[in-house]
């Protein structure tokens, strides 16, 4: 009896040591999180996915800047799913990272997990896309673009182009993924800008999820259902590029029969613009990495940072795209 008890005690002790050993190993493997004070900042980053050229450039910028800033980056690709982002954030909380940064795939539904991070004392930085949480204390800052402005600039250019129009100008719109800040805001800005001319009418508007495949598929439907399409407004270059295939297949000339306006200004989009297939692009910069790492250091040091930091952006016509292309970084 006593022997059995002793054996059990040894077994329990052994497993405690084993678990302890594994846990310690885990710590040193990850380079330590907030719990290990080696001075190195660990950032957990949850990325939306890999849906577009913009996103690829954004991911590269974040990875390169983290390395350059000496920040240890834990990176997760959520494949455009909110549940995956929530899971990743919960993992980062458990691992006690120093800072969590993420680009929320949609605007709503974040309060619970953000509260969990706050309760764990881990600061959160929103980057690229924002959330609609009423409680602003759930995150430290937002770094990204003014998407309403991008939509507005796109709309204002169209108003200027079509100011002499005497009849209806039929516009179709390819939206980003449903519920995403850039989809909501670009739609809003564009709609407000074109409202000054009642000839400018959005006759169809559907999500194409910011992907080439989505843009192509939805544009095919638009073309089938609407014999007269004068303008396409795509919420990003990739959907516009996908739509080009559908337009050409329908026997129309992109950039001539259909005026195409997009957002982002990634290299492939700029090439289409320089080639005369697109007509106008409102820029949206994905190069957020360096500023993000800077903010992470400040927030980690307990410094107060501005509640919102916006990227500076411009617009491109076909001529301007030709000039800018050789030096385009993304
Ligand atoms: O415009 C689009 C990407 O959130 C600003 O997401 C970003 C958008 C970008 O898929 O290409």
């Amino acid at each position: 009896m006593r022997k059995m008890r002793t054996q059990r005690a040894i077994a329990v002790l052994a497993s405690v040591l084993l678990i302890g050993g594994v846990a310690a190993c885990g710590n040193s493997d990850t380079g330590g999180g907030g719990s290990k004070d080696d001075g190195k900042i660990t950032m957990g980053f949850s990325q939306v996915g890999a849906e577009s050229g913009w996103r690829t450039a954004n991911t590269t910028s974040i990875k390169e800047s983290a390395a350059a800033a000496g920040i240890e980056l834990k990176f997760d690709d959520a494949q455009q799913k909110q549940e995956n982002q929530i899971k990743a954030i919960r993992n980062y909380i458990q691992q006690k990272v120093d800072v969590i940064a993420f680009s929320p795939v949609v605007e709503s539904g974040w309060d619970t997990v953000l509260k969990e991070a706050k309760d764990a004392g881990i600061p959160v930085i929103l980057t690229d896309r924002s959330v609609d949480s009423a409680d602003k204390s759930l995150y430290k800052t937002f770094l990204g673009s003014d998407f309403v402005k991008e939509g507005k600039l796109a709309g204002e250019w169209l108003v200027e182009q079509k100011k002499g129009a005497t009849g209806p100008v039929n516009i179709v719109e390819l939206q980003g993924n449903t519920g995403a800040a850039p989809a909501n805001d670009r739609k809003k800005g564009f709609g407000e800008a074109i409202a000054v001319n009642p000839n400018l009418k959005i006759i169809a508007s559907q999500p194409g999820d910011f992907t080439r495949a989505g843009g192509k598929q939805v544009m095919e439907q638009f073309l089938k259902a609407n014999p007269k399409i004068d303008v396409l407004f795509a919420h990003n270059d990739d959907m516009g590029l996908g739509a080009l295939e559908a337009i050409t297949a329908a026997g129309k000339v992109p950039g001539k029969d259909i005026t195409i306006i997009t957002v982002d200004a990634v290299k492939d989009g700029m090439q289409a613009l320089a080639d005369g297939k697109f007509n106008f692009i409102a820029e949206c910069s994905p190069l957020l990495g360096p500023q993000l790492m800077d903010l992470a250091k400040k927030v980690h040091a307990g410094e107060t940072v501005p509640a919102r930091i916006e990227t500076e952006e411009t617009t491109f016509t076909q001529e301007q795209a030709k000039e800018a292309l050789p030096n385009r970084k993304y």
Side-chain angles (χ1 to χ4, degrees), residues 168-183:
V169 175
N170 289 346
I171 305 166
V172 294
E173 182 180 32
L174 284 169
Q175 301 171 30
N177 64 286
T178 306

Side-chain angles (χ1 to χ4, degrees), residues 51-52 54-55 128-129 147 182 186 210 235-236 264 284:
E51 74 282 4
S52 64
W54 190 99
R55 190 64 54 198
D128 159 33
R129 301 183 182 180
F147 301 132
R186 287 171 186 165
F210 283 126
H235 288 185
N236 78 343
D264 277 356
C284 179

Side-chain angles (χ1 to χ4, degrees), residues 229-241:
I229 296 174
D230 302 305
V231 178
L232 163 65
F233 173 46
H235 288 185
N236 78 343
D237 288 338
D238 284 82
M239 290 191 293
L241 292 163

